[in-house]
Amino acid sequence: LKLSLIAHLPVIVTTILISALFIANKYLPRGGMPQKVAMISAMVIVGLLQIIAYMVASGVISGVTAVIITQLSAAPLRPVKLREAFAVLRKRWREFLKTMIRVTLRIILGCILLLIPGLIIWIRYSLYAPVVLIEGLQGKAAMKRARELASRSWKTIIVVSILQLLIPMVVSFLVGRIRVGVNVQQTDHVRGPGQGDRASSHGLGLP
């Protein structure tokens, strides 16, 4: 839980920024086309940053978890310390960042061409972070090694990748449903009791 919270801090920040932009877009006075263009541009930029944040979080969780497993294998009775695992990440953050950028660009390119190639690339190189942090490889060598390791258990890699994709989507869907429910309740409260039913009846041509 601590690892997940730390890794998702960029995701939390970008989510707060997106929510703030939606609130600002709803309640700020209309300023014409320049304001609308600026707001849309800001939402697009923050949305892209959120996608990158998800990539970083996924890589950090995968890589640091591999380091923790290695520590447990070497000393099973020794307590797990996140500080030591993150020390490995800090030591090799340049290699991690370079490899993550290469993998992310390939995934984005695959998604631009068609969605399926992007998903295949994501699954194929999903183990790049453990390779960088544990084996010290980077760039093409790390990607080649990650593909080799993934080929040993495609079923497991596919299941984990699908979970990593679906869980954020489900959470976003639930948050959206909660937001819609709150907006409906606020609208009904402003209309007053019975007004919503009367409006619906008039819309249907009923008395």
Side-chain angles (χ1 to χ4, degrees):
L1 290 175
K2 289 181 180 179
L3 171 59
S4 181
L5 177 61
I6 295 173
H8 281 89
L9 285 177
V11 178
I12 295 173
V13 171
T14 53
T15 302
I16 293 174
L17 289 176
I18 289 179
S19 300
L21 288 173
F22 275 108
I23 294 173
N25 185 49
K26 183 176 181 180
Y27 291 104
L28 284 179
R30 301 301 177 184
M33 185 59 66
Q35 179 181 345
K36 186 175 181 180
V37 172
M39 187 64 65
I40 294 175
S41 300
M43 289 181 179
V44 170
I45 292 173
V46 177
L48 293 175
L49 289 176
Q50 189 177 45
I51 294 174
I52 296 174
Y54 272 116
M55 294 288 185
V56 173
S58 177
V60 169
I61 292 174
S62 177
V64 175
T65 300
V67 174
I68 292 174
I69 293 173
T70 303
Q71 293 175 352
L72 289 174
S73 300
L77 300 179
R78 185 179 178 182
V80 174
K81 294 183 179 180
L82 280 179
R83 183 176 300 178
E84 296 180 0
F86 273 102
V88 178
L89 178 62
R90 287 194 299 268
K91 181 180 179 182
R92 298 176 178 169
W93 71 269
R94 291 184 180 86
E95 295 85 350
F96 174 81
L97 183 61
K98 291 178 181 178
T99 309
M100 186 196 71
I101 291 174
R102 294 176 69 98
V103 173
T104 302
L105 290 177
R106 289 200 177 192
I107 293 174
I108 293 175
L109 180 60
C111 291
I112 291 175
L113 296 176
L114 280 174
L115 181 61
I116 300 301
L119 294 176
I120 293 175
I121 294 172
W122 181 24
I123 293 172
R124 180 178 295 176
Y125 299 120
S126 59
L127 294 179
Y128 77 90
V131 170
V132 173
L133 298 185
I134 299 298
E135 301 187 15
L137 301 176
Q138 62 175 317
K140 289 184 178 181
M143 295 169 64
K144 182 179 179 180
R145 176 62 173 163
R147 182 178 178 181
E148 177 186 347
L149 292 175
S151 65
R152 299 180 181 179
S153 183
W154 284 118
K155 292 182 180 179
T156 303
I157 297 298
I158 291 172
V159 170
V160 172
S161 299
I162 291 175
L163 289 176
Q164 289 180 343
L165 179 65
L166 289 181
I167 290 175
M169 292 175 62
V170 171
V171 172
S172 299
F173 174 77
L174 293 177
V175 171
R177 289 292 297 272
I178 293 173
R179 183 183 302 170
V180 170
V182 171
N183 290 337
V184 170
Q185 290 179 1
Q186 290 177 349
T187 303
D188 292 341
H189 178 72
V190 171
R191 287 181 177 178
Q195 293 183 8
D197 295 337
R198 288 197 296 270
S200 299
S201 299
H202 289 307
L204 293 174
L206 300 174

